[in-house]
Amino acid sequence: MSRLRFSLGRFKRADRGLALIEFAYVAPILLTLFVGSFQISDAVFANRKVTTTARAIADLTSQYTSVDNPTLDSILNASRQIMHPYDLARTEARVSQITIDNSGNAVVNWSRALNATPLATGATTVIPSTLRQKNTTVILSQVAYHHVPSFASELIGPITLKDQTIMFPRKITAIQKKYP
């Protein structure tokens, strides 16, 4: 009996290997936090790229007095440099000129897109009421990126990041589109 008590006492005081067991409990949590923070920071960075791309497309387009399809394609393809290192094949970009008529309706004048469908000419679209000034024209840039996380993409799935920028033409009231 005393031998059993001695063995149990020794077992109670033994702490060899305790750190290894504690680490085995904590390591998966730490690894999950590390990978999760990496995933979140990558998604935030990709979202920032989407916002910058939308702004740049609207900014470049608003500086022209007239555009044609090759010019608009060059502007849209410039987004490749902004979206780098992210895959442009998963990026949808669209630039459109919208006219707000006397009634406050926003009507598409022209539209051009990269990896997306352009807005239909003559169709109505939604512009925030704060920018909907009668008898004005705005440039609408819309960008969407289908972000696929690096880890556990099957579990999380793709995340669509979107942004749009609305600017007024700078040098003229409405940018003319030349058709070939």
Side-chain angles (χ1 to χ4, degrees):
M1 185 71 163
S2 67
R3 187 173 228 182
L4 178 63
R5 195 179 283 172
F6 176 73
S7 296
L8 288 174
R10 194 173 61 159
F11 181 72
K12 186 178 176 183
R13 289 186 302 272
D15 59 0
R16 291 178 45 182
L18 186 61
L20 183 62
I21 292 171
E22 289 174 352
F23 180 74
Y25 283 132
V26 175
I29 296 168
L30 292 175
L31 187 60
T32 302
L33 287 173
F34 174 74
V35 170
S37 64
F38 173 76
Q39 294 285 73
I40 289 171
S41 65
D42 188 42
V44 167
F45 188 63
N47 191 47
R48 184 67 189 132
K49 292 279 194 171
V50 167
T51 300
T52 303
T53 301
R55 167 107 171 116
I57 290 171
D59 186 35
L60 288 171
T61 306
S62 69
Q63 295 179 37
Y64 285 87
T65 56
S66 66
V67 292
D68 55 8
N69 286 343
T71 302
L72 291 172
D73 289 341
S74 294
I75 292 170
L76 291 169
N77 282 322
S79 63
R80 180 181 322 273
Q81 298 300 318
I82 299 168
M83 287 300 295
H84 183 75
Y86 297 100
D87 187 10
L88 192 63
R90 288 187 269 166
T91 305
E92 298 174 5
R94 181 183 303 119
V95 62
S96 309
Q97 180 170 269
I98 314 294
T99 298
I100 295 99
D101 62 16
N102 281 334
S103 306
N105 298 319
V107 179
V108 178
N109 287 358
W110 51 260
S111 184
R112 191 76 173 165
L114 174 70
N115 299 333
T117 305
L119 298 177
T121 302
T124 58
T125 189
V126 178
I127 298 291
S129 60
T130 55
L131 295 172
R132 197 178 301 173
Q133 299 174 12
K134 294 179 180 178
N135 298 319
T136 58
T137 303
V138 295
I139 301 299
L140 171 65
S141 170
Q142 300 168 310
V143 176
Y145 176 69
H146 305 288
H147 179 68
V148 178
S150 304
F151 301 103
S153 59
E154 293 81 22
L155 180 66
I156 298 170
I159 303 166
T160 302
L161 307 170
K162 296 180 182 180
D163 203 356
Q164 70 177 21
T165 301
I166 300 171
M167 291 186 171
F168 292 98
R170 294 185 186 187
K171 298 179 181 177
I172 196 165
T173 56
I175 299 171
Q176 301 300 314
K177 175 136 188 260
K178 299 176 188 175
Y179 294 93

